[in-house]
Amino acid sequence: MTSGEAEVSRRRLISGPGTLLVWLYGVMVVGAVSRSAYQIATEFDRAPLAYALSAVAGLVYGFITYSLVRGGETARRAALACCVAELAGVLTVGTWTLVEPSAFPDATVWSDFGMGYLFIPVILPVSAIYWLRASRSRDGDAA
């Protein structure tokens, strides 16, 4: 891939719906990281698993945001892998919080499938996976 083709591929990840994904992931980074940092600093002993999981979610959101902005095929694949892992985490933690609520004395970002965040944590990775797969198809058609 030439540098011109790489630039087109990069722009495609952050154009159209990709721009919205970057913005939403950016908001989730700020929300998850600031919430977990405050909770870890002030009340970690109350719900260490919940607060640690929220911090992990924030890091995952940050990596996906960075990958989308960076663009290129390698970044697209890394973002896709992280989105799949994120979705698995949301589904696992969401199910866990419903089956065994006592395991989480306080909510995580992914509790109840992200209900406290308007279900964005479960909708976002599905949307991102779709976009990243569609952007690969478009790049393949352009080549």
Side-chain angles (χ1 to χ4, degrees):
M1 182 180 283
T2 67
S3 69
E5 290 170 335
E7 180 61 26
V8 168
S9 177
R10 179 191 165 311
R11 281 195 307 256
R12 284 192 177 147
L13 284 180
I14 59 171
S15 64
T19 303
L20 180 60
L21 286 173
V22 168
W23 186 84
L24 288 171
Y25 271 113
V27 168
M28 293 304 291
V29 168
V30 172
V33 169
S34 61
R35 174 185 178 173
S36 63
Y38 174 79
Q39 291 171 322
I40 288 170
T42 61
E43 51 194 14
F44 186 70
D45 57 331
R46 181 169 163 229
L49 178 60
Y51 303 151
L53 285 172
S54 288
V56 167
L59 293 174
V60 169
Y61 295 147
F63 182 80
I64 294 169
T65 303
Y66 170 76
S67 296
L68 289 171
V69 170
R70 187 173 190 297
E73 183 58 20
T74 302
R76 188 195 62 75
R77 280 184 286 193
L80 184 59
C82 277
C83 288
V84 169
E86 172 196 358
L87 181 59
V90 172
L91 296 175
T92 301
V93 173
T95 302
W96 191 0
T97 57
L98 294 176
V99 171
E100 186 61 44
S102 63
F104 295 90
D106 202 356
T108 74
V109 173
W110 295 342
S111 291
D112 303 319
F113 305 103
M115 187 168 60
Y117 287 81
L118 306 174
F119 296 103
I120 292 171
V122 76
I123 296 167
L124 198 54
V126 172
S127 302
I129 290 167
Y130 176 79
W131 171 249
L132 290 165
R133 290 179 54 83
S135 68
R136 179 190 64 202
S137 298
R138 269 200 338 255
D139 288 345
D141 294 341

